Amino acid sequence: TFQLFWLCHCLAVAYPCFCKANTIHVPGDQTTIQQGIDLAEDGDTVLVAAGVYTGEGNYEIELLGKAIVVISAAGAEETVIDAEGIGRYGFYLHQDEDHQTVIKGFKVINVTAGNFFSSTGIYIEDSSPTIENCILENNGRGLFLEQTSAIISDCTISNNTTWSGIINRFGSSNAVIRNCLIVGNTSDVGGGIRVDVSPSPLYINCTIAGNKATQSGGGIFVSEDDLLRMRNCIIWG
């Protein structure tokens, strides 16, 4: 018995257990999206059923630095995070998340509380997640990128009414925004895109259309000495 125990102990040290990742269902296993994330561990998936999600725990959602996938089961049109004018963010990522942290397939609407540094569908600060197939619509701002090398792909940022569709600010030099539609957004400066305070993001295969600014840069505003890199993009209207 002792020899068997010692053999098992040695094998456990030499070959640690890599446990199977779990899928946490919302609202089946946990009532709110935040509760699902709270329960998740690195490698897990939080799978969110179709529906309109409101109330505490379904906006101002934080990923808590976890390498997890938060994904809708039915896609963005059928899975809506509605902040009801109360929440300052839909999702807030600020705990050093990297590209293994994924948000996919949500529509975020009615995030209008707060000020210039909030009121945002997805706010990314000091972290670099992957955001895919999301719709950020009818918020104060669609997307805020700050100190990040996030990858944003196949998203629609539309009809955000106060602070630009996307703002790239404070060193978001390695952020990549690709295959995105940025349409019908409004701001005083940079209706579609605002690049401010030394970032140099890269936009690939994006359409920036029908955006408005009351002062300057209806489609795009790039502040003095800053840089915006673009490949194969369309800017019109």
Side-chain angles (χ1 to χ4, degrees), residues 95-153:
Q95 297 187 43
D96 202 32
E97 292 89 355
D98 63 18
H99 294 156
Q100 295 182 75
T101 301
V102 179
I103 296 172
K104 184 173 182 179
F106 294 91
K107 177 186 268 189
V108 183
I109 63 173
N110 297 327
V111 184
T112 54
N115 54 29
F116 177 83
F117 292 98
S118 55
S119 192
T120 301
I122 299 179
Y123 194 122
I124 300 172
E125 176 186 21
D126 298 320
S127 62
S128 298
T130 300
I131 311 295
E132 299 177 350
N133 300 107
C134 288
I135 300 170
L136 309 176
E137 183 176 273
N138 296 326
N139 305 293
R141 179 192 298 106
L143 183 64
F144 198 120
L145 301 174
E146 181 175 346
Q147 299 286 5
T148 179
S149 57
I151 297 174
I152 315 295
S153 61

Side-chain angles (χ1 to χ4, degrees), residues 208-230:
I208 300 100
N211 303 284
K212 298 179 181 180
T214 57
Q215 296 181 25
S216 56
I220 299 170
F221 176 85
V222 182
S223 64
E224 185 177 357
D225 298 325
D226 287 327
L227 175 67
L228 170 63
R229 301 172 292 155
M230 307 191 83

Side-chain angles (χ1 to χ4, degrees), residues 193 206-211 218-220 228 230 233-237:
I193 298 169
C206 292
T207 297
I208 300 100
N211 303 284
I220 299 170
L228 170 63
M230 307 191 83
C233 291
I234 297 170
I235 308 166
W236 60 271

Side-chain angles (χ1 to χ4, degrees), residues 33-34 37 48 58-63 70-71 81 88-94 102-108 111 120-124 131 134 136 142-144:
I33 298 170
Q34 187 65 65
I37 293 168
V48 182
N58 289 319
Y59 55 79
E60 298 186 5
I61 300 164
E62 301 195 23
L63 276 289
V70 182
I71 185 171
I81 293 171
R88 297 170 298 162
Y89 318 102
F91 290 94
Y92 182 29
L93 297 101
H94 64 109
V102 179
I103 296 172
K104 184 173 182 179
F106 294 91
K107 177 186 268 189
V108 183
V111 184
T120 301
I122 299 179
Y123 194 122
I124 300 172
I131 311 295
C134 288
L136 309 176
L143 183 64
F144 198 120

